Amino acid sequence: NAQMAESPVVILGGAVATLTQGRGSLQDVDQLSVMRPLCKFVATVTRVRDIVPTLRRAFQEARSGVPGPVFVELPLDVLHPG
C-alpha cells in the first residue's frame, strides 16, 4: 500500500469521454470518489492543454510533505481529441 509505505506513486486512470460521464456509460465510474480517501491529491483533466500542468502538479504533490499516492483521471476525449 503506497499510502502506508509513504511511497510517491502517480496513478493515471482512463475515463469515458467527458460528454458521456454521468449518463450511464458502460464503464462510467466515479473514480475520483473512489481514489480520494486513498490519495493525497486527485484531479481530472478536462482539456488537452491541462495535461502537462496537471501531471507536473501530481508529481510535485506525490513527493511533497509526506510522500504518497496521487491520482489523475484522463478522459478518452482528452487523450484522443478530434
Side-chain angles (χ1 to χ4, degrees), residues 54-66:
T54 303
L55 290 177
R56 282 188 179 136
R57 178 163 180 210
F59 278 92
Q60 177 185 14
E61 293 287 340
R63 294 185 312 250
S64 70
V66 175

Side-chain angles (χ1 to χ4, degrees), residues 13-16 29-36 42 71 73-74:
V16 297
V29 175
D30 185 359
Q31 297 179 103
L32 298 181
S33 292
V34 172
M35 299 303 282
R36 193 168 281 116
V42 296
F71 176 75
E73 179 182 68
L74 298 155

Side-chain angles (χ1 to χ4, degrees), residues 9-81:
V9 176
V10 177
I11 305 161
L12 304 178
V16 297
T18 53
L19 292 176
T20 61
Q21 288 179 348
R23 296 184 180 186
S25 289
L26 181 61
Q27 297 178 353
D28 188 11
V29 175
D30 185 359
Q31 297 179 103
L32 298 181
S33 292
V34 172
M35 299 303 282
R36 193 168 281 116
L38 307 171
C39 296
K40 56 187 282 187
F41 171 77
V42 296
T44 188
V45 179
T46 57
R47 300 178 301 189
V48 173
R49 68 180 182 205
D50 293 334
I51 293 173
V52 171
T54 303
L55 290 177
R56 282 188 179 136
R57 178 163 180 210
F59 278 92
Q60 177 185 14
E61 293 287 340
R63 294 185 312 250
S64 70
V66 175
V70 300
F71 176 75
V72 178
E73 179 182 68
L74 298 155
L76 185 61
D77 55 330
V78 174
L79 290 174
H80 301 282

